Amino acid sequence: MIERTDDVFAVLETPLSPDAIAEAVDDPGAGGVVIFSGIVRNQTDGRPVKFLEYEAHAPMAEAKMREIGGAIRARWAGVRRVAILHRVGRLEIGEASVLIAVSAAHRGDAFEACRYAIDTLKRTVPVWKKEHFEDGEVWVGLQGG
Amino acid sequence: MRVRVRLFARYREATGQERLDVDVPEGGTVETAWKAIVARHPDLSRYRPYTLFAVGHDYVEPDHRLAPDDELCLFPPVSGGASRSGASAEASGEMIENTSASCRPFDG
């Protein structure tokens, strides 16, 4: 699923693997890897969530993820590899919807770049989720966070 | 000229369509295309203030000039800007039946 020859940016319909994304950013020059995992929460403002559906404009989403990767490499010289994966389709409580991994020579760059990646993703990447409750459903963007 | 339109999320559900084609005059803009879309799906008109547009892999403004066979995408808000966040809450409130939920930050 994941190539190790370059940075990885993908929208997938299959479960996301933290082990696989860690491997994707493996680099002999890295002294640290930071992984962010966004998971499906069991409630929204106290309202129980049954499950979520994610939808994306996949090619544009991958292009926007690639832009994030480029911005990271321009800003943090110590970053070695970047991987961003977003899942679409039906996700159950506790499943990962997004995984971001950054390896860097030193931990500071890895933490900062990973934080930048998830914050930017939520503003720019065309992905939406539909929250399914017991008594209704609602489309929401990835805003805020 | 013909412009291809793709509808996502609530726009797809509101129209029951993922794709449609509209004819706009040469030199037409995103706004021109929007008017052609709304002529066919009047229900969409109330979402205009909250709609994001994209052509190719980039967001575009309503005055963006379209080219033949461009693919124009209609998105609900993605961005977390304060004004947009408030706008999207209103949009959702209108769109949703049987629920009082509205847009909110996704901090998963």
Side-chain angles (χ1 to χ4, degrees):
Chain A
M1 175 179 82
I2 289 173
E3 296 177 5
R4 290 182 53 186
T5 52
D6 200 354
D7 289 348
V8 176
F9 308 98
V11 173
L12 302 170
E13 296 179 358
T14 51
L16 305 181
S17 160
D19 288 344
I21 202 169
E23 195 175 323
V25 298
D26 187 27
D27 185 281
V33 174
V34 170
I35 298 176
F36 172 81
S37 173
I39 59 177
V40 177
R41 193 173 35 227
N42 67 357
Q43 55 82 28
T44 299
D45 292 344
R47 194 176 180 196
V49 170
K50 285 163 63 184
F51 64 93
L52 298 187
E53 274 180 272
Y54 282 86
E55 176 178 332
H57 182 329
M60 181 171 166
E62 290 171 357
K64 291 294 170 195
M65 291 175 182
R66 195 168 295 280
E67 286 179 14
I68 292 171
I72 285 174
R73 289 186 171 282
R75 185 163 162 187
W76 289 281
V79 167
R80 307 299 298 214
R81 285 173 184 254
V82 180
I84 304 177
L85 302 176
H86 207 299
R87 187 174 164 193
V88 292
R90 175 174 168 150
L91 275 73
E92 308 297 331
I93 306 299
E95 290 193 292
S97 58
V98 58
L99 287 180
I100 298 174
V102 179
S103 62
H106 301 284
R107 66 185 180 282
D109 282 355
F111 274 112
E112 288 178 18
C114 192
R115 175 68 191 253
Y116 168 85
I118 185 61
D119 289 351
T120 308
L121 179 148
K122 291 190 180 213
R123 287 188 293 103
T124 65
V125 176
V127 178
W128 311 274
K129 65 174 179 175
K130 190 179 198 179
E131 296 181 319
H132 289 260
F133 303 103
E134 290 291 342
D135 58 347
E137 55 197 38
V138 57
W139 279 109
V140 297
L142 300 183
Q143 68 268 40
Chain B
M1 65 181 173
R2 192 193 63 160
V3 172
R4 293 170 296 143
V5 179
R6 284 186 69 184
L7 305 157
F8 289 85
R10 59 176 66 120
Y11 300 89
R12 173 172 47 73
E13 293 189 345
T15 61
Q17 290 180 275
E18 282 184 32
R19 296 169 187 275
L20 57 91
D21 291 343
V22 294
D23 285 316
V24 300
E26 293 292 330
T29 62
V30 167
E31 189 68 41
T32 316
W34 168 261
K35 290 195 171 92
I37 295 164
V38 167
R40 212 179 298 177
H41 297 282
D43 285 354
L44 294 181
S45 61
R46 59 186 159 153
Y47 309 128
R48 174 64 185 82
Y50 322 117
T51 304
L52 296 181
F53 300 102
V55 173
H57 294 164
D58 293 305
Y59 296 101
V60 295
E61 297 296 326
D63 62 1
H64 176 84
R65 199 168 279 246
L66 293 166
D69 287 325
D70 267 355
E71 184 180 75
L72 172 65
C73 297
L74 268 55
F75 296 159
V78 177
S79 168
S83 59
R84 274 188 176 154
S85 196
S88 62
E90 282 180 45
S92 295
E94 288 180 10
M95 304 266 329
I96 292 129
E97 296 175 2
N98 303 323
T99 175
S100 61
S102 59
C103 282
R104 61 180 57 77
F106 163 55
D107 57 358

